[in-house]
Amino acid sequence: MAELKDKLILVVDDEARMVNFMRMNLELEGARVASASNGREALEHAREDMPDVVLLDIMMPGMDGFETLRRLRQFSQVPVLILTAKSEEDDRVRGLELGADDYIAKPFSHRELVSRIRAVLRRHYAAPPVPQTMVKVDERLSIDFARREVLVAGQRVNLRPTEYRLLYHLVQNAGYVQTHEMLLTKVWGPEYREESHYLRLYITYLRQKIEEDPAKPKYILTERGVGYRFVDFENKA
Amino acid sequence: MAELKDKLILVVDDEARMVNFMRMNLELEGARVASASNGREALEHAREDMPDVVLLDIMMPGMDGFETLRRLRQFSQVPVLILTAKSEEDDRVRGLELGADDYIAKPFSHRELVSRIRAVLRRHYAAPPVPQTMVKVDERLSIDFARREVLVAGQRVNLRPTEYRLLYHLVQNAGYVQTHEMLLTKVWGPEYREESHYLRLYITYLRQKIEEDPAKPKYILTERGVGYRFVDFENKA
DNA sequence: TCCGCGTGTCAGATTATTTGACAAGCGCGT
DNA sequence: ACGCGCTTGTCAAATAATCTGACACGCGGA
């Protein structure tokens, strides 16, 4: 399990209260915290301190979070979580497209903050470089991608080719939101980027086949305005 | 264009006449030739001399070509061309599965020998590590894989998803034979390895769409008993 | 030359994908 | 708390792709 202990986390936000709130929460978990109140400082810190994770506020005066992220990505692959207002769905999509790893919507709880950071750390430092075959999600659901076999409550369910590819991409990124565009691009091809219709339909099909109650999905979660996220089944703490 | 000049070619054959024949042909092209008459010697040479290409006879007393290839592949990625009797189609398939890059059927001409070696060198030393998008095969046929557009004699032809994937894998390996199994695995998935029926059908579809005369294919060539080969359109010398 | 196996082709059966229309639900502003 | 608008979810029919099975063809080996 990925631990926050002794990890260096760079918090970037122009509001001192928010920085303090996060610092408190993160230090409670044993993490070290560096902070910056604008984009320029953030880039300096990122270069010099080599943080393990960056928490980046989008709404900042001067160089905003997007621009900061874009420049950061020119020299660093450090995992980045962006902080957005609850309602700003477009900001999340844009951030993810610029290379953010995930987002946290303000306001957020201690639990949410820590769990997202853990997930991102796990992927970056413990992630298998080879794609997973044979995934056991929980007692009810397991998938063998090499054999194209999906077992739900002991029963084999038959997935169609597109359903299969969609599930594959969702599960390979379990715990991470995948935007509509990402999924459409990977499953149907780049020329389908705008056709979110297809995606909704195939999400429905998949849920009907693998969810216990398709109306209350436990595996394939909707991220309104952004995309879908397969449940973070490896991070149950 | 890949050149044989000054390249070191390791020829492995137990028949001295064959070795001499190849040495003569290769030195005419300015290549340097090392030779071995059995598997053990071949492995030694491969380790110590770092040849640019290996020509490996399959039928040898003692350690045969397959075993030699298997052991060679444990420590080296050097391109290997296997030499097989005209009729031994199974040998070719087996050799390719063990990691040979191509085969040459005995007896062969100077032209055939040199052209196959050139092709293998081109792929290994000049090959782009990123997959090609936008391929111009000749005046009649060009393909834009990013846009999923195939132009035949100026006309856009519409390929179905499977036809598309099949063409993609053939063209990405233009000049190289792809065994039935390779194509079935890549296009349909590993569980279709035995279903060569599908492959034949889709080869027919593709030829009808891109060949001028589907009965006399110029692009997608049949390698009887082995697989298919997209014409080596970059190596017209 | 003839035979046999691998390859090529066709048309029909089946299955998957796409389309289009509409219902449901969430979250925002009032 | 309420209703509105936009996103998401669902259904069934239309279209398209894939698969099946039968058979013809033709190369290469004996």
Side-chain angles (χ1 to χ4, degrees):
Chain A
M1 152 70 71
E3 259 312 328
L4 270 64
K5 193 151 187 312
D6 295 329
K7 291 289 188 304
L8 179 59
I9 301 178
L10 173 60
V11 174
V12 187
D13 200 316
D14 59 307
E15 291 178 77
R17 286 186 54 223
M18 185 58 79
V19 172
N20 288 333
F21 172 75
M22 289 191 273
R23 179 186 295 278
M24 200 184 68
N25 279 289
L26 297 172
E27 288 180 344
L28 265 174
E29 300 289 327
R32 293 173 295 137
V33 175
S35 65
S37 62
N38 60 53
R40 193 184 46 72
E41 275 180 41
L43 293 172
E44 261 174 43
H45 270 293
R47 258 186 227 283
E48 285 163 26
D49 305 346
M50 305 285 281
D52 297 295
V53 181
V54 175
L55 303 181
L56 177 60
D57 188 34
I58 285 303
M59 293 245 280
M60 291 189 298
M63 190 195 306
D64 69 9
F66 297 126
E67 183 59 19
T68 309
L69 176 56
R70 202 183 58 73
R71 297 205 195 174
L72 176 66
R73 277 286 174 258
Q74 317 248 319
F75 64 87
S76 170
Q77 293 309 308
V78 61
V80 172
L81 287 163
I82 56 177
L83 307 172
T84 69
K86 199 103 191 159
S87 61
E88 297 304 318
E89 294 165 348
D90 291 351
D91 284 1
R92 299 178 202 163
V93 173
R94 194 164 156 218
L96 293 167
E97 276 170 2
L98 280 171
D101 292 80
D102 205 344
Y103 63 84
I104 306 182
K106 294 186 190 182
F108 48 82
S109 63
H110 172 88
R111 201 189 119 67
E112 200 173 341
L113 178 69
V114 168
S115 143
R116 285 293 164 78
I117 296 175
R118 280 219 178 100
V120 109
L121 281 172
R122 176 158 35 75
R123 173 144 92 171
H124 247 74
Y125 297 102
V130 285
Q132 287 292 344
T133 171
M134 295 273 218
V135 175
K136 181 173 176 184
V137 176
D138 62 12
E139 284 308 317
R140 216 177 77 87
L141 175 65
S142 63
I143 311 167
D144 180 344
F145 286 110
R147 293 173 186 277
R148 306 218 155 200
E149 247 180 45
V150 176
L151 291 172
V152 177
Q155 295 293 305
R156 225 197 125 165
V157 304
N158 183 37
L159 296 191
R160 297 183 296 189
T162 303
E163 291 167 0
Y164 209 85
R165 289 199 301 282
L166 178 55
L167 181 62
Y168 180 81
H169 289 296
L170 286 168
V171 172
Q172 292 302 325
N173 296 285
Y176 294 87
V177 66
Q178 296 285 103
T179 66
H180 300 132
E181 273 129 21
M182 287 175 186
L183 291 168
L184 286 161
T185 297
K186 292 189 203 167
V187 175
W188 281 267
E191 67 275 31
Y192 286 76
R193 199 171 314 184
E194 318 273 276
E195 312 288 332
S196 65
H197 198 129
Y198 294 164
L199 182 54
R200 265 156 46 210
L201 189 55
Y202 273 84
I203 290 284
T204 296
Y205 292 158
L206 265 184
R207 281 176 174 162
Q208 281 172 355
K209 291 189 178 179
I210 68 173
E211 296 281 358
E212 190 146 22
D213 178 0
K216 297 185 177 49
K218 290 187 314 182
Y219 302 124
I220 300 175
L221 313 176
T222 300
E223 300 270 336
R224 183 165 246 262
V226 181
Y228 296 89
R229 180 194 301 266
F230 198 90
V231 68
D232 187 7
F233 59 91
E234 289 171 317
N235 193 27
K236 294 298 188 55
Chain B
M1 152 70 70
E3 257 313 327
L4 271 63
K5 194 147 185 317
D6 296 328
K7 292 289 188 302
L8 179 60
I9 301 177
L10 173 60
V11 174
V12 186
D13 200 316
D14 59 306
E15 291 177 76
R17 286 185 54 222
M18 185 56 80
V19 172
N20 288 334
F21 171 76
M22 288 192 274
R23 179 187 294 277
M24 200 183 70
N25 279 289
L26 297 172
E27 288 181 344
L28 265 174
E29 300 289 327
R32 293 172 295 136
V33 175
S35 65
S37 63
N38 60 55
R40 195 185 43 73
E41 274 181 41
L43 292 172
E44 262 175 42
H45 270 293
R47 259 186 226 282
E48 287 163 26
D49 304 346
M50 305 284 282
D52 297 294
V53 181
V54 176
L55 302 182
L56 177 61
D57 187 34
I58 285 303
M59 293 246 279
M60 292 189 296
M63 191 197 303
D64 69 9
F66 297 126
E67 184 58 18
T68 308
L69 177 56
R70 204 183 58 73
R71 297 206 195 174
L72 175 66
R73 277 285 174 259
Q74 317 250 317
F75 65 88
S76 169
Q77 293 307 309
V78 62
V80 173
L81 287 164
I82 56 176
L83 308 173
T84 69
K86 198 102 192 162
S87 62
E88 296 305 318
E89 294 165 347
D90 290 351
D91 284 2
R92 297 177 203 164
V93 173
R94 194 162 157 221
L96 293 167
E97 277 170 1
L98 281 170
D101 292 80
D102 204 343
Y103 62 83
I104 307 182
K106 293 185 189 182
F108 48 82
S109 62
H110 172 88
R111 200 189 120 67
E112 201 173 341
L113 177 69
V114 169
S115 143
R116 284 292 164 78
I117 295 175
R118 280 218 178 101
V120 111
L121 281 172
R122 174 157 37 74
R123 172 144 93 170
H124 247 74
Y125 297 102
V130 286
Q132 287 292 343
T133 170
M134 295 272 219
V135 175
K136 182 174 174 183
V137 175
D138 61 12
E139 284 308 318
R140 216 178 78 87
L141 175 66
S142 63
I143 310 166
D144 180 343
F145 285 109
R147 292 174 185 276
R148 307 219 154 197
E149 248 181 43
V150 176
L151 292 172
V152 178
Q155 295 293 305
R156 226 198 124 164
V157 302
N158 183 37
L159 296 191
R160 298 183 297 191
T162 303
E163 292 167 359
Y164 208 84
R165 290 200 300 282
L166 178 55
L167 181 62
Y168 180 81
H169 290 294
L170 286 168
V171 171
Q172 292 302 326
N173 296 285
Y176 293 87
V177 66
Q178 295 286 103
T179 65
H180 299 132
E181 272 132 20
M182 288 174 186
L183 290 167
L184 286 161
T185 297
K186 293 189 203 167
V187 175
W188 281 267
E191 68 274 32
Y192 286 76
R193 200 170 315 183
E194 319 272 275
E195 313 288 332
S196 64
H197 199 126
Y198 294 167
L199 182 55
R200 264 156 47 210
L201 189 57
Y202 274 84
I203 290 284
T204 298
Y205 292 158
L206 264 185
R207 281 175 173 162
Q208 282 171 355
K209 292 187 179 180
I210 68 172
E211 295 282 357
E212 190 146 22
D213 178 359
K216 296 187 179 47
K218 291 188 315 183
Y219 301 123
I220 301 175
L221 312 177
T222 301
E223 300 268 336
R224 183 166 245 262
V226 181
Y228 297 90
R229 181 194 299 267
F230 198 91
V231 68
D232 186 8
F233 59 90
E234 288 171 320
N235 193 26
K236 294 298 189 54

